[in-house]
Amino acid sequence: MLADIADIDINEFGPKLIEASTSIAGKSMDEIFKQDLKVFTFKDKKFCISQINTTDYRKFEDKFDFLPYLKKICKENNYDFAIVMITDVVLNGSELIFEGEKVDLVRRAFN
């Protein structure tokens, strides 16, 4: 309905909109990680989860080494663990990458 009002072709505009909203061009690892970051405390554990949406997971595989970054984040913020959830909106799936002193909790939670 909105596409008709705006006089645009949704099949042409939709993918461009998704691509623009998930672009990492010119962004540092810190900017990308903190874009959608949530910090939690549960019982005596402090941790963070960052979700990164992309249209091409390979962009992250080629560009970033997450484990050293997550280790640094844990140390700087006293997190027991840190998780980055990379969600490919085209493939409709997510991959979790995690690091920290208490990663055994993450492994058990996600089997």
Side-chain angles (χ1 to χ4, degrees):
M1 198 164 64
L2 292 176
D4 289 339
I5 293 169
D7 194 28
I8 60 170
D9 179 353
I10 197 165
N11 293 319
E12 185 180 317
F13 184 71
K16 289 179 184 176
L17 181 66
I18 292 170
E19 180 91 21
S21 70
T22 61
S23 175
I24 60 170
K27 293 183 181 177
S28 71
M29 177 69 174
D30 222 31
E31 290 172 313
I32 293 167
F33 185 79
K34 292 178 179 174
Q35 198 168 281
D36 186 5
L37 176 68
K38 307 289 189 287
V39 177
F40 301 93
T41 302
F42 182 72
K43 296 190 180 185
D44 63 338
K45 305 296 180 254
K46 182 179 174 188
F47 59 97
C48 69
I49 301 175
S50 173
Q51 181 169 22
I52 301 170
N53 293 311
T54 182
T55 56
D56 185 0
Y57 179 76
R58 292 175 302 230
K59 289 178 188 174
F60 290 94
E61 285 183 321
D62 295 343
K63 188 169 182 175
F64 298 114
D65 189 1
F66 283 101
L67 294 177
Y69 178 81
L70 295 176
K71 187 176 272 192
K72 179 183 87 129
I73 290 293
C74 287
K75 185 176 181 179
E76 289 174 353
N77 297 283
N78 201 30
Y79 295 143
D80 290 288
F81 58 87
I83 301 172
V84 62
M85 180 171 54
I86 302 172
T87 301
D88 191 314
V89 297
V90 174
L91 297 176
N92 228 3
S94 297
E95 179 161 341
L96 297 181
I97 302 169
F98 48 92
E99 181 60 83
E101 294 289 321
K102 301 289 182 181
V103 294
D104 57 312
L105 297 172
V106 181
R107 285 189 182 99
R108 282 189 304 184
F110 290 99
N111 198 16

